[in-house]
Amino acid sequence: SQQGEEDPQALSIQEGENATMNCSYKTSINNLQWYRQNSGRGLVHLILIRSNEREKHSGRLRVTLDTSKKSSSLLITASRAADTASYFCATASSSNTGKLIFGQGTTLQVKP
Amino acid sequence: GAVVSQHPSRVICKSGTSVKIECRSLDFQATTMFWYRQFPKKSLMLMATSNEGSKATYEQGVEKDKFLINHASLTLSTLTVTSAHPEDSSFYICSAPGRGAKNIQYFGAGTRLSVL
């Protein structure tokens, strides 16, 4: 079952602007991850944040996690046209089965 | 990095036929693989967990007789859509947890199935 809600569902920005996507989840987690999917392709892992972490950076990506609110955000700074894709959050449960439950995704369009 | 190969990338078949999709871990062993289904502009829905040497674990609502999963080796899992119908048309994606960081999934490129 899908437990994640993401907003916005779609986001359109100009190149150079920042893009922020939010994700909420319902159950206890071991970690939360963000993935990117180009149209008609598989997913690529971007970043993982553990349940005991609050913020993490990787290049132009910044992820925050608020376990009290069961929410996370992904910030892409200085966006590029090549960032155009769908972005999904995924949670790994605290039972650590390896299964990931994906959010509904945010479709990002970066206009050149 | 870990590479997962999925084949075929696209298949068109007639209603009533069966279609097999392969998912291979190319440079690592995967005792577990996951199969997802994705509808247009929607999220990934986990269908089943494929376990090497044992039966797959299906998610609630997924017909095990319809979607046969075989994980006969440490690098190969197959999903067979049996007696396919137009409503089975979808994008199917497999993934495998990588070495070390087991929660990070490496995904195949997906298979677009169209049933006529």
Side-chain angles (χ1 to χ4, degrees):
Chain A
S1 62
Q2 305 303 315
Q3 72 159 342
E5 296 284 334
E6 289 189 56
D7 80 272
Q9 289 189 346
L11 181 60
S12 181
I13 58 175
Q14 293 294 134
E15 216 168 20
E17 295 180 338
N18 296 341
T20 300
M21 291 159 257
N22 303 295
C23 164
S24 62
Y25 58 92
K26 296 176 183 174
T27 61
S28 297
I29 62 170
N30 176 280
N31 63 72
L32 184 144
Q33 303 173 40
W34 286 88
Y35 287 82
R36 167 195 168 126
Q37 182 182 34
N38 283 47
S39 181
R41 304 290 295 172
L43 279 71
V44 175
H45 178 262
L46 295 176
I47 193 166
L48 178 152
I49 186 165
R50 301 188 194 288
S51 59
N52 61 354
E53 297 176 313
R54 291 298 165 257
E55 188 171 311
K56 202 160 184 181
H57 297 254
S58 176
R60 293 185 295 113
L61 304 180
R62 173 178 164 250
V63 169
T64 63
L65 179 64
D66 186 334
T67 53
S68 67
K69 295 181 180 178
K70 289 187 166 58
S71 67
S72 174
S73 68
L74 171 68
L75 168 68
I76 303 174
T77 60
S79 63
R80 304 167 182 167
D83 294 329
T84 295
S86 292
Y87 293 82
F88 294 91
C89 68
T91 53
S93 76
S94 50
S95 60
N96 208 23
T97 60
K99 289 197 309 188
L100 292 179
I101 302 299
F102 283 84
Q104 297 303 308
T106 294
T107 300
L108 172 66
Q109 181 185 31
V110 181
K111 299 175 184 176
Chain B
V3 179
V4 173
S5 173
Q6 187 172 342
H7 178 81
S9 58
R10 186 177 182 97
V11 58
I12 301 172
C13 70
K14 293 183 179 179
S15 204
T17 60
S18 293
V19 174
K20 181 186 283 188
I21 302 170
E22 293 187 347
C23 182
R24 294 181 186 272
S25 55
L26 295 187
D27 53 355
F28 66 105
Q29 293 181 337
T31 56
T32 302
M33 290 186 178
F34 299 95
W35 287 96
Y36 297 86
R37 181 173 180 174
Q38 186 178 31
F39 292 100
K41 300 187 187 300
K42 296 291 185 183
S43 186
L44 281 74
M45 181 189 79
L46 179 64
M47 298 174 67
T49 302
S50 175
N51 305 299
E52 188 268 334
S54 65
K55 291 182 180 180
T57 307
Y58 290 82
E59 295 299 305
Q60 192 173 10
V62 178
E63 298 176 61
K64 56 184 68 175
D65 294 332
K66 174 71 161 176
F67 300 101
L68 298 179
I69 291 172
N70 184 278
H71 195 151
S73 79
L74 286 169
T75 59
L76 174 65
S77 174
T78 60
L79 168 69
T80 301
V81 183
T82 63
S83 188
H85 290 279
E87 57 265 31
D88 298 324
S89 298
S90 193
F91 192 59
Y92 294 89
I93 314 177
C94 68
S95 72
R99 294 172 286 210
K102 292 184 179 178
N103 278 144
I104 294 177
Q105 300 284 334
Y106 293 90
F107 283 81
T111 297
R112 172 74 59 195
L113 171 63
S114 299
V115 184
L116 304 178

Short mmCIF file of all heavy atoms in Angstrom, two decimals, chain A residues 1-2 30-31 33 35 37 40-45 48 88 92-93 96-105, chain B residues 32 34 36 38 41-46 49 57 59 91 93 97 101-110 112:
data_model
loop_
_atom_site.label_atom_id
_atom_site.label_comp_id
_atom_site.label_asym_id
_atom_site.label_seq_id
_atom_site.Cartn_x
_atom_site.Cartn_y
_atom_site.Cartn_z
N SER A 1 0.85 -1.18 0.00
CA SER A 1 0.00 0.00 0.00
C SER A 1 0.89 1.23 0.00
O SER A 1 2.00 1.21 0.51
CB SER A 1 -0.90 0.03 1.21
OG SER A 1 -0.14 0.07 2.39
N GLN A 2 0.39 2.27 -0.59
CA GLN A 2 1.14 3.51 -0.67
C GLN A 2 0.87 4.32 0.57
O GLN A 2 -0.26 4.57 0.93
CB GLN A 2 0.72 4.29 -1.91
CG GLN A 2 0.85 3.49 -3.20
CD GLN A 2 2.27 2.99 -3.41
OE1 GLN A 2 3.22 3.73 -3.23
NE2 GLN A 2 2.41 1.72 -3.74
N ASN A 30 12.70 3.37 9.36
CA ASN A 30 14.13 3.21 9.61
C ASN A 30 14.89 4.32 8.89
O ASN A 30 15.87 4.87 9.41
CB ASN A 30 14.58 1.84 9.11
CG ASN A 30 16.07 1.62 9.23
OD1 ASN A 30 16.85 2.08 8.40
ND2 ASN A 30 16.49 0.92 10.28
N ASN A 31 14.44 4.60 7.68
CA ASN A 31 15.04 5.69 6.91
C ASN A 31 14.05 6.15 5.84
O ASN A 31 13.03 5.48 5.59
CB ASN A 31 16.36 5.29 6.26
CG ASN A 31 16.19 4.18 5.24
OD1 ASN A 31 15.65 4.40 4.16
ND2 ASN A 31 16.65 2.98 5.58
N GLN A 33 14.04 7.82 1.83
CA GLN A 33 14.90 8.02 0.67
C GLN A 33 14.15 8.81 -0.40
O GLN A 33 12.92 8.81 -0.45
CB GLN A 33 15.31 6.66 0.08
CG GLN A 33 15.99 5.76 1.08
CD GLN A 33 16.23 4.37 0.54
OE1 GLN A 33 16.59 4.19 -0.62
NE2 GLN A 33 16.04 3.37 1.40
N TYR A 35 14.05 9.32 -4.63
CA TYR A 35 14.43 8.75 -5.91
C TYR A 35 13.96 9.67 -7.03
O TYR A 35 12.98 10.41 -6.88
CB TYR A 35 13.79 7.37 -6.11
CG TYR A 35 14.41 6.27 -5.28
CD1 TYR A 35 14.05 6.09 -3.94
CD2 TYR A 35 15.36 5.40 -5.83
CE1 TYR A 35 14.61 5.09 -3.18
CE2 TYR A 35 15.92 4.39 -5.07
CZ TYR A 35 15.54 4.25 -3.75
OH TYR A 35 16.10 3.25 -3.00
N GLN A 37 12.91 9.72 -11.24
CA GLN A 37 12.53 8.89 -12.38
C GLN A 37 12.35 9.78 -13.61
O GLN A 37 11.50 10.67 -13.61
CB GLN A 37 11.23 8.13 -12.10
CG GLN A 37 10.82 7.21 -13.25
CD GLN A 37 9.51 6.49 -12.99
OE1 GLN A 37 8.61 7.03 -12.36
NE2 GLN A 37 9.41 5.26 -13.47
N GLY A 40 9.33 7.19 -18.32
CA GLY A 40 9.42 5.88 -18.93
C GLY A 40 10.66 5.09 -18.56
O GLY A 40 11.00 4.12 -19.25
N ARG A 41 11.31 5.47 -17.49
CA ARG A 41 12.55 4.79 -17.09
C ARG A 41 12.44 4.28 -15.65
O ARG A 41 11.46 4.51 -14.95
CB ARG A 41 13.73 5.77 -17.20
CG ARG A 41 13.90 6.39 -18.56
CD ARG A 41 14.37 5.39 -19.57
NE ARG A 41 15.71 4.89 -19.27
CZ ARG A 41 16.29 3.89 -19.92
NH1 ARG A 41 15.63 3.27 -20.89
NH2 ARG A 41 17.51 3.51 -19.61
N GLY A 42 13.49 3.59 -15.23
CA GLY A 42 13.54 3.15 -13.85
C GLY A 42 13.89 4.29 -12.92
O GLY A 42 14.06 5.43 -13.34
N LEU A 43 13.99 3.98 -11.64
CA LEU A 43 14.28 5.00 -10.64
C LEU A 43 15.75 5.00 -10.28
O LEU A 43 16.41 3.96 -10.29
CB LEU A 43 13.45 4.76 -9.38
CG LEU A 43 12.01 5.25 -9.41
CD1 LEU A 43 11.16 4.39 -10.33
CD2 LEU A 43 11.42 5.28 -8.01
N VAL A 44 16.22 6.16 -9.92
CA VAL A 44 17.61 6.32 -9.50
C VAL A 44 17.63 6.89 -8.09
O VAL A 44 16.95 7.88 -7.80
CB VAL A 44 18.37 7.26 -10.46
CG1 VAL A 44 19.78 7.52 -9.94
CG2 VAL A 44 18.42 6.67 -11.86
N HIS A 45 18.39 6.25 -7.23
CA HIS A 45 18.49 6.71 -5.85
C HIS A 45 19.24 8.03 -5.78
O HIS A 45 20.29 8.19 -6.40
CB HIS A 45 19.22 5.65 -5.01
CG HIS A 45 19.42 6.05 -3.59
ND1 HIS A 45 20.59 6.60 -3.12
CD2 HIS A 45 18.58 6.00 -2.53
CE1 HIS A 45 20.47 6.86 -1.84
NE2 HIS A 45 19.26 6.50 -1.45
N LEU A 48 19.58 9.31 1.01
CA LEU A 48 18.93 8.59 2.11
C LEU A 48 19.16 9.37 3.39
O LEU A 48 20.29 9.83 3.64
CB LEU A 48 19.52 7.19 2.22
CG LEU A 48 19.04 6.25 3.34
CD1 LEU A 48 19.18 4.79 2.90
CD2 LEU A 48 19.78 6.47 4.65
N PHE A 88 10.31 10.91 -6.17
CA PHE A 88 9.51 10.12 -5.23
C PHE A 88 10.25 9.98 -3.90
O PHE A 88 11.45 9.72 -3.88
CB PHE A 88 9.28 8.70 -5.77
CG PHE A 88 8.43 8.64 -7.01
CD1 PHE A 88 9.02 8.68 -8.27
CD2 PHE A 88 7.06 8.52 -6.92
CE1 PHE A 88 8.25 8.62 -9.41
CE2 PHE A 88 6.28 8.45 -8.06
CZ PHE A 88 6.88 8.51 -9.31
N ALA A 92 11.49 3.21 4.33
CA ALA A 92 11.84 1.86 4.74
C ALA A 92 11.38 1.71 6.18
O ALA A 92 11.73 2.52 7.04
CB ALA A 92 13.35 1.66 4.64
N SER A 93 10.62 0.68 6.45
CA SER A 93 10.02 0.56 7.78
C SER A 93 11.07 0.20 8.83
O SER A 93 12.15 -0.30 8.51
CB SER A 93 8.91 -0.49 7.77
OG SER A 93 9.48 -1.79 7.75
N ASN A 96 12.71 -3.14 9.00
CA ASN A 96 13.90 -3.39 8.15
C ASN A 96 13.78 -4.62 7.27
O ASN A 96 14.68 -5.46 7.20
CB ASN A 96 15.14 -3.50 9.04
CG ASN A 96 16.40 -3.08 8.30
OD1 ASN A 96 16.33 -2.34 7.32
ND2 ASN A 96 17.53 -3.57 8.74
N THR A 97 12.63 -4.76 6.61
CA THR A 97 12.44 -5.89 5.70
C THR A 97 13.11 -5.65 4.35
O THR A 97 13.22 -6.56 3.55
CB THR A 97 10.95 -6.13 5.45
OG1 THR A 97 10.40 -4.94 4.85
CG2 THR A 97 10.22 -6.44 6.75
N GLY A 98 13.53 -4.43 4.10
CA GLY A 98 14.09 -4.08 2.80
C GLY A 98 13.05 -3.50 1.87
O GLY A 98 13.39 -2.91 0.85
N LYS A 99 11.78 -3.67 2.19
CA LYS A 99 10.72 -3.12 1.33
C LYS A 99 10.68 -1.61 1.44
O LYS A 99 10.88 -1.04 2.51
CB LYS A 99 9.35 -3.66 1.75
CG LYS A 99 9.16 -5.12 1.42
CD LYS A 99 7.71 -5.57 1.45
CE LYS A 99 6.92 -5.22 2.64
NZ LYS A 99 5.59 -5.88 2.64
N LEU A 100 10.40 -0.97 0.32
CA LEU A 100 10.21 0.47 0.30
C LEU A 100 8.77 0.77 -0.08
O LEU A 100 8.21 0.11 -0.95
CB LEU A 100 11.14 1.13 -0.72
CG LEU A 100 12.64 1.11 -0.42
CD1 LEU A 100 13.40 1.79 -1.55
CD2 LEU A 100 12.93 1.79 0.90
N ILE A 101 8.19 1.75 0.57
CA ILE A 101 6.86 2.21 0.22
C ILE A 101 7.01 3.61 -0.36
O ILE A 101 7.57 4.51 0.29
CB ILE A 101 5.94 2.24 1.45
CG1 ILE A 101 5.86 0.85 2.09
CG2 ILE A 101 4.54 2.73 1.04
CD1 ILE A 101 5.31 -0.23 1.19
N PHE A 102 6.51 3.79 -1.57
CA PHE A 102 6.73 5.03 -2.28
C PHE A 102 5.57 6.02 -2.12
O PHE A 102 4.41 5.63 -2.01
CB PHE A 102 6.92 4.74 -3.78
CG PHE A 102 8.28 4.20 -4.09
CD1 PHE A 102 8.55 2.85 -3.94
CD2 PHE A 102 9.29 5.04 -4.50
CE1 PHE A 102 9.82 2.35 -4.19
CE2 PHE A 102 10.56 4.55 -4.77
CZ PHE A 102 10.83 3.21 -4.61
N GLY A 103 5.94 7.28 -2.13
CA GLY A 103 4.95 8.34 -2.16
C GLY A 103 4.41 8.50 -3.57
O GLY A 103 4.82 7.81 -4.50
N GLN A 104 3.49 9.43 -3.72
CA GLN A 104 2.80 9.61 -4.99
C GLN A 104 3.65 10.33 -6.03
O GLN A 104 3.38 10.28 -7.21
CB GLN A 104 1.50 10.39 -4.77
CG GLN A 104 0.49 9.67 -3.89
CD GLN A 104 0.15 8.32 -4.47
OE1 GLN A 104 -0.22 8.18 -5.62
NE2 GLN A 104 0.27 7.27 -3.64
N GLY A 105 4.68 11.01 -5.57
CA GLY A 105 5.60 11.64 -6.52
C GLY A 105 5.26 13.08 -6.85
O GLY A 105 4.10 13.50 -6.79
N THR B 32 17.18 -11.11 -2.68
CA THR B 32 15.84 -10.52 -2.70
C THR B 32 15.74 -9.53 -3.85
O THR B 32 16.66 -8.76 -4.09
CB THR B 32 15.55 -9.78 -1.38
OG1 THR B 32 15.68 -10.69 -0.30
CG2 THR B 32 14.14 -9.19 -1.38
N PHE B 34 12.54 -7.00 -5.86
CA PHE B 34 11.18 -6.49 -5.71
C PHE B 34 10.58 -6.19 -7.08
O PHE B 34 11.28 -5.71 -7.98
CB PHE B 34 11.17 -5.22 -4.85
CG PHE B 34 11.70 -5.42 -3.46
CD1 PHE B 34 13.03 -5.16 -3.15
CD2 PHE B 34 10.87 -5.90 -2.45
CE1 PHE B 34 13.53 -5.36 -1.87
CE2 PHE B 34 11.36 -6.10 -1.16
CZ PHE B 34 12.69 -5.84 -0.88
N TYR B 36 7.49 -4.08 -9.00
CA TYR B 36 6.54 -2.99 -8.87
C TYR B 36 5.74 -2.86 -10.16
O TYR B 36 6.19 -3.22 -11.25
CB TYR B 36 7.26 -1.66 -8.62
CG TYR B 36 8.06 -1.58 -7.35
CD1 TYR B 36 9.37 -2.04 -7.30
CD2 TYR B 36 7.52 -1.02 -6.19
CE1 TYR B 36 10.13 -1.95 -6.15
CE2 TYR B 36 8.28 -0.92 -5.03
CZ TYR B 36 9.57 -1.39 -5.03
OH TYR B 36 10.31 -1.30 -3.87
N GLN B 38 3.52 0.27 -12.16
CA GLN B 38 3.32 1.71 -12.16
C GLN B 38 2.33 2.09 -13.25
O GLN B 38 2.53 1.77 -14.43
CB GLN B 38 4.64 2.45 -12.37
CG GLN B 38 4.52 3.96 -12.24
CD GLN B 38 5.86 4.66 -12.39
OE1 GLN B 38 6.73 4.20 -13.12
NE2 GLN B 38 6.03 5.79 -11.71
N LYS B 41 1.50 8.33 -14.72
CA LYS B 41 1.51 9.48 -13.81
C LYS B 41 1.18 9.09 -12.37
O LYS B 41 0.68 9.91 -11.59
CB LYS B 41 0.53 10.56 -14.29
CG LYS B 41 0.86 11.10 -15.68
CD LYS B 41 -0.03 12.26 -16.04
CE LYS B 41 0.18 12.69 -17.49
NZ LYS B 41 1.54 13.12 -17.77
N LYS B 42 1.46 7.85 -12.03
CA LYS B 42 1.20 7.38 -10.67
C LYS B 42 2.47 6.87 -10.02
O LYS B 42 3.51 6.75 -10.66
CB LYS B 42 0.15 6.25 -10.71
CG LYS B 42 -1.20 6.68 -11.21
CD LYS B 42 -1.90 7.61 -10.25
CE LYS B 42 -3.30 7.94 -10.70
NZ LYS B 42 -3.97 8.91 -9.80
N SER B 43 2.33 6.53 -8.75
CA SER B 43 3.48 6.03 -8.02
C SER B 43 3.70 4.54 -8.29
O SER B 43 2.94 3.91 -9.01
CB SER B 43 3.27 6.26 -6.53
OG SER B 43 4.43 5.91 -5.82
N LEU B 44 4.75 4.01 -7.70
CA LEU B 44 5.04 2.59 -7.82
C LEU B 44 4.24 1.82 -6.79
O LEU B 44 4.22 2.18 -5.61
CB LEU B 44 6.53 2.33 -7.58
CG LEU B 44 7.48 2.62 -8.72
CD1 LEU B 44 7.67 4.10 -8.90
CD2 LEU B 44 8.81 1.94 -8.49
N MET B 45 3.63 0.74 -7.23
CA MET B 45 2.90 -0.12 -6.32
C MET B 45 3.68 -1.43 -6.18
O MET B 45 3.91 -2.12 -7.17
CB MET B 45 1.51 -0.41 -6.88
CG MET B 45 0.66 -1.30 -5.99
SD MET B 45 -0.86 -1.83 -6.78
CE MET B 45 -0.24 -3.16 -7.82
N LEU B 46 4.11 -1.73 -4.97
CA LEU B 46 4.84 -2.96 -4.75
C LEU B 46 3.92 -4.15 -4.96
O LEU B 46 2.85 -4.24 -4.36
CB LEU B 46 5.41 -2.99 -3.33
CG LEU B 46 6.20 -4.24 -2.94
CD1 LEU B 46 7.45 -4.38 -3.79
CD2 LEU B 46 6.56 -4.21 -1.46
N THR B 49 7.67 -9.49 -3.28
CA THR B 49 9.09 -9.64 -2.96
C THR B 49 9.52 -11.00 -3.45
O THR B 49 8.93 -12.04 -3.09
CB THR B 49 9.31 -9.55 -1.45
OG1 THR B 49 8.81 -8.31 -0.97
CG2 THR B 49 10.79 -9.66 -1.11
N THR B 57 6.80 -13.45 -1.91
CA THR B 57 5.82 -12.91 -0.97
C THR B 57 5.03 -11.84 -1.70
O THR B 57 5.59 -10.83 -2.12
CB THR B 57 6.53 -12.28 0.25
OG1 THR B 57 7.42 -13.24 0.82
CG2 THR B 57 5.51 -11.86 1.29
N GLU B 59 2.05 -8.93 -2.17
CA GLU B 59 1.32 -7.90 -1.43
C GLU B 59 -0.19 -8.18 -1.54
O GLU B 59 -0.65 -8.88 -2.45
CB GLU B 59 1.64 -6.52 -1.97
CG GLU B 59 3.09 -6.12 -1.78
CD GLU B 59 3.51 -6.07 -0.32
OE1 GLU B 59 2.84 -5.34 0.47
OE2 GLU B 59 4.49 -6.75 0.05
N PHE B 91 3.38 -0.44 -16.66
CA PHE B 91 4.84 -0.36 -16.61
C PHE B 91 5.28 -1.17 -15.41
O PHE B 91 4.86 -0.89 -14.28
CB PHE B 91 5.25 1.11 -16.49
CG PHE B 91 6.71 1.39 -16.70
CD1 PHE B 91 7.32 1.06 -17.90
CD2 PHE B 91 7.47 1.99 -15.72
CE1 PHE B 91 8.67 1.33 -18.12
CE2 PHE B 91 8.81 2.27 -15.92
CZ PHE B 91 9.42 1.93 -17.12
N ILE B 93 8.41 -2.63 -13.08
CA ILE B 93 9.80 -2.31 -12.74
C ILE B 93 10.28 -3.25 -11.63
O ILE B 93 9.54 -3.53 -10.70
CB ILE B 93 9.96 -0.87 -12.21
CG1 ILE B 93 9.21 0.13 -13.07
CG2 ILE B 93 11.44 -0.47 -12.16
CD1 ILE B 93 9.28 1.55 -12.52
N PRO B 97 18.08 -4.71 -3.69
CA PRO B 97 18.87 -3.95 -2.74
C PRO B 97 20.35 -4.11 -3.04
O PRO B 97 20.80 -5.20 -3.42
CB PRO B 97 18.52 -4.58 -1.38
CG PRO B 97 17.65 -5.73 -1.65
CD PRO B 97 17.43 -5.87 -3.11
N ALA B 101 24.56 -1.19 1.76
CA ALA B 101 23.40 -0.37 2.12
C ALA B 101 22.14 -1.05 1.60
O ALA B 101 21.66 -0.74 0.52
CB ALA B 101 23.54 1.03 1.53
N LYS B 102 21.61 -1.98 2.35
CA LYS B 102 20.56 -2.85 1.83
C LYS B 102 19.26 -2.13 1.58
O LYS B 102 18.41 -2.62 0.85
CB LYS B 102 20.34 -4.00 2.80
CG LYS B 102 21.52 -4.96 2.86
CD LYS B 102 21.25 -6.13 3.76
CE LYS B 102 22.45 -7.08 3.75
NZ LYS B 102 22.24 -8.23 4.65
N ASN B 103 19.05 -1.00 2.19
CA ASN B 103 17.80 -0.31 1.94
C ASN B 103 17.81 0.48 0.65
O ASN B 103 16.76 0.90 0.19
CB ASN B 103 17.46 0.61 3.12
CG ASN B 103 16.82 -0.16 4.26
OD1 ASN B 103 17.05 0.14 5.41
ND2 ASN B 103 16.01 -1.13 3.94
N ILE B 104 18.95 0.74 0.07
CA ILE B 104 18.99 1.45 -1.19
C ILE B 104 18.68 0.47 -2.30
O ILE B 104 19.31 -0.58 -2.40
CB ILE B 104 20.36 2.12 -1.42
CG1 ILE B 104 20.57 3.21 -0.37
CG2 ILE B 104 20.45 2.69 -2.82
CD1 ILE B 104 21.93 3.87 -0.46
N GLN B 105 17.69 0.81 -3.11
CA GLN B 105 17.27 -0.06 -4.18
C GLN B 105 17.88 0.39 -5.50
O GLN B 105 17.95 1.59 -5.79
CB GLN B 105 15.75 -0.04 -4.31
CG GLN B 105 15.00 -0.49 -3.08
CD GLN B 105 15.01 -1.99 -2.90
OE1 GLN B 105 15.14 -2.72 -3.87
NE2 GLN B 105 14.90 -2.45 -1.67
N TYR B 106 18.28 -0.59 -6.29
CA TYR B 106 18.76 -0.33 -7.65
C TYR B 106 17.72 -0.88 -8.61
O TYR B 106 17.32 -2.04 -8.51
CB TYR B 106 20.13 -0.97 -7.85
CG TYR B 106 21.18 -0.31 -6.99
CD1 TYR B 106 21.43 -0.77 -5.70
CD2 TYR B 106 21.88 0.80 -7.44
CE1 TYR B 106 22.36 -0.14 -4.88
CE2 TYR B 106 22.81 1.43 -6.63
CZ TYR B 106 23.04 0.95 -5.35
OH TYR B 106 23.95 1.58 -4.55
N PHE B 107 17.28 -0.02 -9.50
CA PHE B 107 16.14 -0.34 -10.33
C PHE B 107 16.53 -0.72 -11.75
O PHE B 107 17.49 -0.18 -12.32
CB PHE B 107 15.19 0.85 -10.41
CG PHE B 107 14.36 1.02 -9.17
CD1 PHE B 107 14.89 1.64 -8.05
CD2 PHE B 107 13.06 0.54 -9.11
CE1 PHE B 107 14.14 1.79 -6.89
CE2 PHE B 107 12.30 0.69 -7.96
CZ PHE B 107 12.83 1.31 -6.85
N GLY B 108 15.76 -1.65 -12.31
CA GLY B 108 15.84 -1.89 -13.73
C GLY B 108 15.19 -0.73 -14.47
O GLY B 108 14.56 0.14 -13.85
N ALA B 109 15.33 -0.72 -15.78
CA ALA B 109 14.81 0.37 -16.59
C ALA B 109 13.32 0.25 -16.84
O ALA B 109 12.71 1.17 -17.40
CB ALA B 109 15.55 0.45 -17.92
N GLY B 110 12.73 -0.87 -16.44
CA GLY B 110 11.29 -1.03 -16.59
C GLY B 110 10.89 -1.72 -17.88
O GLY B 110 11.65 -1.74 -18.86
N ARG B 112 7.53 -1.88 -20.45
CA ARG B 112 6.21 -1.36 -20.82
C ARG B 112 5.45 -2.51 -21.48
O ARG B 112 5.81 -2.97 -22.56
CB ARG B 112 6.36 -0.20 -21.80
CG ARG B 112 5.05 0.30 -22.41
CD ARG B 112 4.24 1.08 -21.43
NE ARG B 112 4.96 2.25 -20.92
CZ ARG B 112 4.58 2.93 -19.85
NH1 ARG B 112 3.50 2.60 -19.19
NH2 ARG B 112 5.29 3.97 -19.45
#
